Amino acid sequence: MDAEVNITQYRAIWISDIHLGTRGCKADALLDFLKFTESDYLYLVGDIVDGWRLKRSWFWAQSHNDVVQKLLRKARKGTKVIYIPGNHDEALRDYCDMQFGGVTVLDEAVHVTATGKRLLIIHGDQFDGVIRYAKWLAYLGDWAYNVVLSVNHWFNAARHKLGFSYWSLSQYLKQRVKNAVEYISHFEDALAEEAKRRNFDGIVCGHIHHAEMRDIQGVLYCNDGDWVESCTALVEHFDGRLEILHWAEIRQLFGWHPARQPVASTANILAR
């Protein structure tokens, strides 16, 4: 398959919620993505390493090492790599405004697109009431989420043996459970309001593992998704167009068939 895929150049790439250090991390899919994409700017929008899980039980596959090395190699070759820590790698917030191996660590960043649009870039946990005011509940939710991912793994292993394609249980639950849908909607509205309050044209975040790009009251809200379920990234083309890439679908990895609604064409949203 490699011979059929050319390396695609982008002006900027945003990825988040990789969760290195967990069994749910789709490191091989991310390595495939990093192999076939290059960019002037690469934003790591938090939860790259899962410090919460590593504190409880150690897991670090060779593919997780390979991801780190690949990111550092991109930085050495001239890509501007900016790391914005999230809640799962919050320990790195103590090192904001510092640089390690060519990777700059920032609490937040501002990206100006080719068309002059100003985008605020943050992980997003700052606007999650559970994280801010009931962290014990966040830990409980993290445990439950990993249980679902574990069930999802074995469920899809059985589906694969029966000849069926991949199907994401957690994505399905997110879309069907009313409280989850309302949580996502409130999160998106809060982020858009923050961008509007600070006079940005848009905002890019992660945190909720739900890739999305849409206009909210005149503000462009972008969420680059995750690399434990959907394997998505946000990219900027050289003409300023933004697009969400569903990499597993594009490359047909794992016989991918996620449980999500079709995404409307968004590539031209900033070209206007």
Side-chain angles (χ1 to χ4, degrees):
M1 184 178 290
D2 290 359
E4 302 172 3
V5 180
N6 295 320
I7 293 176
T8 304
Q9 299 278 345
Y10 297 101
R11 188 168 182 269
I13 294 174
W14 292 263
I15 55 176
S16 74
D17 299 273
I18 300 171
H19 291 274
L20 295 171
T22 68
R23 297 182 187 277
C25 170
K26 299 289 193 300
D28 290 333
L30 179 57
L31 285 168
D32 188 78
F33 172 79
L34 295 172
K35 178 178 180 180
F36 292 110
T37 59
E38 294 290 348
S39 60
D40 295 343
Y41 300 90
L42 175 58
Y43 294 96
L44 309 175
V45 195
D47 288 0
I48 306 305
V49 177
D50 196 322
W52 291 10
R53 297 298 298 175
L54 289 172
K55 284 181 181 178
R56 293 199 290 271
S57 62
W58 183 261
F59 175 81
W60 194 266
Q62 179 58 46
S63 58
H64 296 200
N65 265 343
D66 295 340
V67 167
V68 173
Q69 292 301 319
K70 187 69 172 176
L71 294 172
L72 292 173
R73 190 176 303 119
K74 285 182 179 290
R76 288 197 302 270
K77 290 185 176 181
T79 299
K80 295 180 179 65
V81 182
I82 297 98
Y83 191 149
I84 300 166
N87 51 301
H88 283 259
D89 46 16
E90 59 191 349
L92 291 175
R93 286 175 170 158
D94 293 337
Y95 302 96
C96 285
D97 302 315
M98 300 180 70
Q99 192 175 87
F100 303 93
V103 177
T104 302
V105 181
L106 297 174
D107 187 51
E108 62 180 41
V110 177
H111 178 79
V112 181
T113 70
T115 55
K117 303 294 185 180
R118 296 174 65 248
L119 305 177
L120 174 64
I121 307 169
I122 60 176
H123 178 64
D125 60 298
Q126 304 93 325
F127 297 86
D128 185 337
V130 173
I131 296 295
R132 293 186 63 185
Y133 303 116
K135 202 164 187 177
W136 65 270
L137 190 57
Y139 285 123
L140 179 61
D142 178 63
W143 172 83
Y145 180 66
N146 279 278
V147 169
V148 172
L149 287 179
S150 179
V151 172
N152 190 68
H153 170 78
W154 295 110
F155 176 71
N156 277 286
R159 282 178 62 88
H160 181 71
K161 288 184 178 180
L162 294 171
F164 294 105
S165 60
Y166 183 92
W167 184 80
S168 176
L169 173 61
S170 54
Q171 287 287 352
Y172 175 83
L173 292 175
K174 281 182 185 179
Q175 292 172 7
R176 295 299 184 273
V177 178
K178 181 181 178 181
N179 287 345
V181 173
E182 290 180 350
Y183 166 80
I184 290 171
S185 177
H186 292 161
F187 177 86
E188 293 173 345
D189 290 343
L191 270 289
E193 180 62 31
E194 175 68 6
K196 187 175 184 178
R197 184 184 69 82
R198 295 172 61 178
N199 296 316
F200 285 98
D201 298 296
I203 190 163
V204 180
C205 61
H207 186 56
I208 60 173
H209 297 201
H210 182 75
E212 182 71 273
M213 182 160 59
R214 64 188 180 95
D215 183 278
I216 302 177
Q217 297 183 353
V219 173
L220 179 65
Y221 168 85
C222 301
N223 193 306
D224 57 29
D226 67 275
W227 289 84
V228 295
E229 301 174 68
S230 56
C231 298
T232 52
L234 176 70
V235 299
E236 180 194 359
H237 297 270
F238 284 98
D239 60 2
R241 290 177 298 125
L242 294 179
E243 180 181 8
I244 293 175
L245 300 181
H246 294 265
W247 192 250
E249 293 180 61
I250 291 169
R251 296 280 282 140
Q252 297 182 342
L253 303 175
F254 331 119
W256 191 262
H257 182 69
R260 66 177 180 87
Q261 297 296 322
V263 175
S265 177
T266 50
N268 296 314
I269 198 162
L270 276 186
R272 298 193 291 269

